[in-house]
Amino acid sequence: MGDAKIGLIGLAVMGQNLVLNMADHGFKVAVFNRTWERTEEFMNGAAKPYKNIVAGKTMQEFVNLLAKPRQVMFMVKAGQPVDDMIAQVKPYLEKGDLLIDGGNEYYKNTERRWRQLEAEGFRYIGTGVSGGEEGARHGPAIMPGGSESSYAGVKPIFEAISAKVGPKNEPCVTYFGPGGAGHYVKMVHNGIEYGDMQLIAEAYDILQRTLGLKPPELHEIFKEWNAKELSSYLIEITRDIFAKRDDQGGRKWQVDTILDEAQQKGTGKWTSQDALDLGIPIPTINAAVVARMLSAIKDERVKASKVLPGPKARYKGPRQKMIDAVRAALYASKICSYAQGMSLIRAASKENKWGVNLGDCAKVWRGGCIIRSVFLEDIRKAFARNPELPNLLLDPFFKKAVVKRLPEWRFVVSTAVQLGIPAPAFGDSLAYYDGYRSARLPANLTQAQRDYFGAHTYRRVDKEGVFHTEWMK
């Protein structure tokens, strides 16, 4: 029997960096990869200085390196590859051993595996890991779900390697609930990330099209924004992107050389799909998913640009007015995006009986992850004030922040419409705010139509019961 505290399968960049992070914190780690060549490259490269990283050439050798009860984490592609990996390692394990899926997995797959493996006597955790390569190496945000007793064994490792925030260096990891709770929280994190990225892209596009700003000027604007209420990892890297010259030797700015075609791995789409199933409106996130899809049909857009006309108008107002307004619209829209994501997690937690603490989501996301920002501390405080808060827009702090920015927010959206600048995430965020604050929506007419053509019935505003009208009479 070996003495490695944990084993990790899957030595792509994220897996390698997690191993090095664990080793830096004094844990002995065993590693395995599907191809021995990758393992050899790692052991003779980044892992060479470490005496507490060991490798197995076969699955049997790998498992024999682990202390009992064994803890095996895998960082492989979601879906069938995870099932295949479980099938490969399980014959070498014993009841009570722990399997940890650290990839971006769909939570329903995690639920299925959790029930199956726990019934067989194994322990299983589905855990989201956010922060990219840098986070994995120096401190990610970690979102585990499964049996709480199963999490206890790996808790010291996760707390040690996670990002730390606040004056008390709080670890950016906490147990979120049974089954797929952890992977669900990570999925919604990624959906919010989609929304954040699209809102920033629209801010860039509006500033560029209305004011003709070049990357150096945008760099200065985002540098200023990152020093105040919009301070975040995504604003920070956007600032840096605008300062980068073309690395192919040209005189252009790097951002201007990149094809306007954004790809996606599916977590944003999963978020939208699950929100539709649960009946929770998340229009900002949906807009971001659709925007990436629209960007992908580049050839069609180029052809359409030559035949479909747009407005001839140009923005002629003060430069600083537009810059300040876009900043305000970005912050207000961001609030709506997070409000939608938190409402979705609340609904899923209730549906699946997970007991997810929304304040913990904000607490864990404050460091290490892609959406980390000063803004998240305000969200944590909001749920500390009222754990049952139904929507962030109803918290006094966020209500005041949005109301203060409403005029500029409306100005940006209306200007974008008048100038033919697509700003779906800004527009849908504002529509969400206006819809949420509306005591009466035109859904009464929609329900009348449904009753007319399908006898779907309706409820009345003045009496209890369910009604149907013979409209043709």
Side-chain angles (χ1 to χ4, degrees):
M1 185 178 76
D3 60 351
K5 183 67 174 176
I6 189 170
L8 190 137
I9 299 174
L11 293 175
V13 176
M14 283 288 289
Q16 290 187 23
N17 283 345
L18 281 172
V19 170
L20 296 173
N21 190 348
M22 292 174 186
D24 280 342
H25 284 87
F27 299 103
K28 188 170 184 179
V29 189
V31 299
F32 177 82
N33 195 71
R34 183 175 54 86
T35 59
W36 174 244
E37 291 75 18
R38 173 65 64 85
T39 307
E40 274 190 311
E41 181 184 345
F42 176 60
M43 294 301 294
N44 293 326
K48 193 169 184 177
Y50 293 85
K51 303 300 183 184
N52 56 344
I53 300 177
V54 292
K57 189 170 185 178
T58 66
M59 188 66 78
Q60 178 73 75
E61 288 180 10
F62 165 72
V63 172
N64 288 343
L65 293 169
L66 299 171
K68 294 183 179 181
R70 304 176 186 93
Q71 300 187 128
V72 179
M73 184 172 185
F74 32 91
M75 298 293 292
V76 298
K77 189 176 180 181
Q80 190 60 45
V82 177
D83 289 312
D84 293 342
M85 188 55 62
I86 292 172
Q88 288 177 45
V89 71
K90 198 166 65 168
Y92 303 101
L93 300 179
E94 300 172 354
K95 290 183 178 180
D97 287 345
L98 173 65
L99 291 150
I100 308 161
D101 179 6
N104 273 335
E105 183 56 275
Y106 185 48
Y107 80 99
K108 288 187 177 180
N109 289 336
T110 303
E111 291 267 309
R112 167 177 58 81
R113 294 175 190 130
W114 176 65
R115 292 192 181 96
Q116 177 185 334
L117 289 165
E118 294 272 333
E120 294 174 2
F122 298 99
R123 296 177 297 142
Y124 189 76
I125 289 174
T127 185
V129 180
S130 179
E133 299 173 19
E134 179 190 351
R137 183 67 185 87
H138 301 292
I142 307 176
M143 293 149 265
S147 298
E148 191 164 12
S149 58
S150 299
Y151 171 62
V154 78
K155 179 180 177 181
I157 299 176
F158 280 4
E159 288 191 342
I161 69 170
S162 69
K164 308 297 187 296
V165 295
K168 297 181 180 179
N169 281 328
E170 296 174 87
C172 291
V173 57
T174 193
Y175 170 74
F176 279 103
H183 270 144
Y184 195 92
V185 170
K186 175 57 163 58
M187 179 188 78
V188 176
H189 161 284
N190 284 24
I192 293 171
E193 177 187 314
Y194 272 55
D196 265 4
M197 293 174 72
Q198 179 61 26
L199 288 167
I200 292 170
E202 290 179 16
Y204 151 66
D205 197 32
I206 291 170
L207 291 174
Q208 183 180 231
R209 293 209 209 185
T210 58
L211 303 177
L213 299 182
K214 303 300 181 185
E217 297 168 294
L218 291 163
H219 166 76
E220 292 300 325
I221 290 169
F222 276 79
K223 180 180 178 181
E224 181 183 349
W225 289 0
N226 194 55
K228 298 180 181 177
E229 78 279 3
L230 285 171
S231 176
S232 67
Y233 174 70
L234 285 170
I235 294 291
E236 178 184 311
I237 67 170
T238 304
R239 172 202 67 193
D240 295 345
I241 287 168
F242 288 133
K244 179 70 173 175
R245 283 280 189 182
D246 178 11
D247 58 13
Q248 298 300 313
R251 296 182 178 181
K252 299 178 180 179
W253 295 96
Q254 193 74 62
V255 69
D256 292 336
T257 71
I258 299 173
L259 186 69
D260 56 320
E261 185 179 74
Q263 299 175 355
Q264 53 186 322
K265 291 186 176 180
T267 46
K269 182 176 69 174
W270 292 345
T271 307
S272 292
Q273 289 172 331
D274 204 68
L276 289 171
D277 290 340
L278 288 171
I280 301 299
I282 56 166
T284 309
I285 297 169
N286 292 344
V289 174
V290 172
R292 293 198 190 189
M293 294 175 180
L294 189 60
S295 80
I297 54 172
K298 171 69 174 178
D299 291 343
E300 284 185 55
R301 290 189 289 111
V302 171
K303 292 175 183 176
S305 69
K306 297 174 182 177
V307 296
L308 298 178
K312 300 295 184 183
R314 294 290 182 268
Y315 176 71
K316 297 179 180 178
R319 168 187 160 121
Q320 196 59 44
K321 177 182 178 180
M322 178 58 72
I323 293 172
D324 291 343
V326 170
R327 171 178 169 174
L330 178 56
Y331 188 71
S333 297
K334 184 181 175 82
I335 292 172
C336 284
S337 181
Y338 280 74
Q340 295 160 29
M342 290 299 191
S343 294
L344 178 57
I345 293 174
R346 181 189 295 282
S349 179
K350 183 178 180 181
E351 176 78 10
N352 294 284
K353 298 179 174 60
W354 288 332
V356 175
N357 183 310
L358 296 182
D360 282 347
C361 295
K363 182 175 75 172
V364 168
W365 293 344
R366 288 180 301 170
C369 67
I370 302 300
I371 65 172
R372 62 184 183 265
S373 66
V374 296
F375 174 84
L376 281 157
E377 175 61 17
D378 296 322
I379 295 179
R380 187 197 66 77
K381 290 177 179 177
F383 286 109
R385 285 190 290 269
N386 180 7
E388 301 304 316
L389 182 69
N391 192 294
L392 275 182
L393 291 170
L394 299 179
D395 175 76
F397 174 86
F398 287 108
K399 173 193 169 186
K400 181 180 179 181
V402 169
V403 171
K404 177 183 176 183
R405 292 165 173 82
L406 269 174
E408 292 171 299
W409 194 8
R410 296 192 189 282
F411 167 73
V412 168
V413 173
S414 62
T415 301
V417 171
Q418 290 166 8
L419 301 183
I421 303 172
F426 275 150
D428 284 355
S429 298
L430 181 57
Y432 175 81
Y433 170 83
D434 282 332
Y436 191 69
R437 69 174 184 82
S438 296
R440 184 172 175 83
L441 292 168
N444 55 315
L445 177 57
T446 303
Q447 195 61 20
Q449 292 169 333
R450 295 183 74 245
D451 189 56
Y452 190 114
F453 65 66
H456 291 294
T457 72
Y458 55 86
R459 293 191 300 155
R460 294 179 61 96
V461 298
D462 54 355
K463 61 180 68 175
E464 293 294 322
V466 176
F467 300 86
H468 167 64
T469 293
E470 291 297 332
W471 297 92
M472 289 302 290
K473 290 182 179 180

